[in-house]
Amino acid sequence: MDTSAIPQNPPPAAPAAPSEVSGKAVRPGDRIFLGLSRGSGIALLVIMAAIAAFLTYRSVLAIQGDKANFFTTFEWDPSGAEPKFGIAVLAFGTVVSSIIAMIIAVPVAVGIALFISHYAPRKLAAPLGYVIDLLAAVPSIIYGLWGALFLVPHLTGLYSWLDSYLGWTGIFSYSQGAARSLFTVGILLAIMILPIVTSVSREVFLQVPKMHEEAALALGATRWEVIRMSVLPFGRSGIISASMLGLGRALGETMAVATVLSPSFLIGLSLLDPGGGTFAQNIASKFSEADTFGQDALIASGLVLFVITLLVNGAARLIIARRKEYSGANA
Amino acid sequence: MAKRIDVSGLSAFYGSHKAIDDISMTVEPRSVTAFIGPSGCGKSTFLRTLNRMHEVTPGGRVEGKVLLDDENLYASGVDPVAVRRTVGMVFQRPNPFPTMSIFDNVAAGLRLNGDVKKKSELNDVVEKSLKGANLWNEVKDRLNKPGSGLSGGQQQRLCIARAIAVEPQVLLMDEPCSALDPISTLAIEDLIGELKERFTIVIVTHNMQQAARVSDRTAFFNLAAVGEPGKLVEIDETERIFSNPSVQDTEDYISGRFG
């Protein structure tokens, strides 16, 4: 290397000419952008705080006026002379229907995503992806109508069959009637969250580094083994995030549930029999007729839903963080 | 555990583009054969046809014959998965499975091959392979740690251990040192010298000193122009290629008078 080009003593940093680099040049564009971005950041925090304060304030009012235990009561009567209401049934219905939706939707979604990303010929993969994304654009009331008018009458057969083989468990016992049950809601929610879980998982599977897949291929892995050894481990945290997005939607879904479910304030052992309720469905069906205190009660239940969603997301983050060392991200 | 490779009339395509044209050569068992040549001449593509990895690329297609001893890898009815279990490969960038421990990385191929071994047997093979890759002493106390925590050179030796754990007939190496520092490179080169006692080794390299140091025979690839398919110019004893090649192009390339 030619070292003569490198000066032995670097010239002193030029303090003599401050005009070019020192001094604070005021660039209007920078200031406007700084103001805008800082302003939006602050506005977001203020709005969040305002919402939280509002919800908490009205909820506290409601819970103070509740003559029964807010968490364990199987009743929703905030406008009586002795207001009694509790979220037990709503919490149960929300969580159970969402879990059913996850159990059905996540494996199917991962399967579809793998098919699109690794099995389908490219000519088929792209249109299939569009169709899946399109499903996410269908308004939830449409799903609700379809659920109520198509799914409910067509599920009675399946439920009778489940009852005759698994009815002894209690969970799958079914006394004849319209299948407007938590299980039906779960199935409908599964269909509704399928697109989001599928498309997020697909994106993650497509990002698996080629070199990880080739590592498995070169060892003599079959297509499924490549998926098991490199695609699924890499996509694991992505699948969890996708599921949480889906779960968030399932927990908060309102119209479709309200259209399909025949609500009652009871917790039955059977998931197939009609009855139960969810937070969002309960708020939607009662809010318009509620007096101020009734609204407070509904807001209190909404706050609980909010907390549940936060907890679920926190748990998901913990799961992802726990095995970070092994994640594909640091490869 | 080493077989001869006989290639005849082999061409490889990406879609309609012909990447390499009509290559024939013989690779001797228990020797190191180096492929050298300018970028884009198809040496890596050719290497990947030897374990049927080329066809994994979308549009990848191969014509011609590759005989491993007497068995044509491209005969109908040959399972590419089985071929890749016989012909191992080490890549340009170290690619241990990031979600697996060091132990599991080495054991991965054995577990794939279906014969579920006893834990003790698996331990033996993993130890033997890591020793074979000169990595055992560095990792024996942290076999359960992730492989991605090792240094680049260690990761590459881990990949070599993973490849030799399944006792392949042939080991293909696609620029195995190009992402490594000189000390790690030296470690890998020493290792190649040891491995050729047991395996047939083919190595693609951009580093001509490396080819001269590690290989017994050297093949020079070239292409007429960008977009033209790559061709095998000549293959001969490494010493001869670097001292007195029979083709002028080879001499030009080796002496740096080229492109």
Side-chain angles (χ1 to χ4, degrees), chain A residues 211 214 217-218 220 233 326, chain B residues 48 84-85 95 98-99 112 144:
Chain A
M211 59 185 233
E214 292 198 333
L217 274 175
Y326 279 92
Chain B
R48 290 166 64 93
R84 292 179 205 131
R85 286 177 186 180
N95 57 355
T99 52
L112 275 184
N144 292 318

Side-chain angles (χ1 to χ4, degrees), chain A residues 97-144:
Chain A
S97 61
S98 298
I99 288 176
I100 295 170
M102 299 290 286
I103 291 173
I104 299 173
V106 171
V108 176
V110 169
I112 298 174
L114 280 176
F115 177 72
I116 294 176
S117 64
H118 283 83
Y119 283 91
R122 273 195 285 182
K123 274 182 189 158
L124 184 62
L128 207 56
Y130 285 128
V131 172
I132 297 285
D133 288 344
L134 211 61
L135 277 181
V138 176
S140 58
I141 184 67
I142 306 292
Y143 279 108

Side-chain angles (χ1 to χ4, degrees), chain A residues 176-187:
Chain A
Q176 302 301 317
R180 295 176 166 275
S181 61
L182 285 178
F183 201 84
T184 310
V185 169
I187 294 174

